[in-house]
Amino acid sequence: EVSCRRLGGGLVQAGESLRLSCSGSTLTLEGFGIGWFRQAPGKEREWVSYRGSRDGTRDYADSVMGRFTISEDVAENTVYLQMNSLKPEDTAVYYCAAANPWTIVRGREEHEYEYWGQGTLVTVSS
């Protein structure tokens, strides 16, 4: 239903950039809220960013504000997460998720999302 992948290798050095994509298969992502989450080893899954459905909303966690940017190619049914100035603490398995608009409150909680892509590992070395 949704697929998350890296646009490049999953191992990068601190300060470098990486781009993740979230693509719809059975879903037309333009009509869904799109969330990005990540989970580091031994830690709980945490919210990273949110793109609202057709409303232009772009929200980011404080930890990634100014470094991560959401973009979208509607024709390709794909939402991107551009990750710049990566830090070792960004190392995690990253997930994208889709939610029907009526289930969204702020787009920051796991339970708001019905459809989850498989995680992709991003490792940032020092």
Side-chain angles (χ1 to χ4, degrees):
E1 295 177 320
V2 292
S3 178
C4 178
R5 66 172 297 165
R6 303 183 300 262
L7 275 61
L11 177 61
V12 298
Q13 293 185 338
E16 295 183 341
S17 299
L18 190 65
R19 196 180 191 187
L20 306 181
S21 68
C22 180
S23 299
S25 55
T26 60
L27 306 179
T28 301
L29 299 188
E30 185 180 15
F32 292 81
I34 303 298
W36 290 91
F37 295 81
R38 67 186 183 185
Q39 187 169 20
K43 297 183 179 180
E44 297 293 324
R45 193 176 301 175
E46 65 175 344
W47 172 72
V48 175
S49 64
Y50 167 69
R51 188 276 279 154
S53 60
R54 296 189 174 105
D55 63 2
T57 299
R58 301 287 189 274
D59 290 335
Y60 303 91
D62 290 342
S63 59
V64 305
M65 186 76 70
R67 299 189 298 119
F68 290 12
T69 304
I70 299 167
S71 62
E72 183 168 10
D73 189 327
V74 175
E76 294 188 356
N77 197 24
T78 301
V79 177
Y80 299 98
L81 183 66
Q82 178 69 39
M83 305 186 296
N84 296 329
S85 302
L86 284 164
K87 305 175 181 179
E89 63 191 83
D90 294 319
T91 296
V93 175
Y94 283 74
Y95 302 85
C96 66
N100 287 301
W102 52 86
T103 70
I104 292 292
V105 180
R106 300 178 66 195
R108 304 185 179 189
E109 303 292 337
E110 295 180 52
H111 68 262
E112 298 179 60
Y113 295 88
E114 296 86 43
Y115 312 101
W116 289 81
Q118 293 184 329
T120 185
L121 176 64
V122 173
T123 301
V124 184
S125 63
S126 301

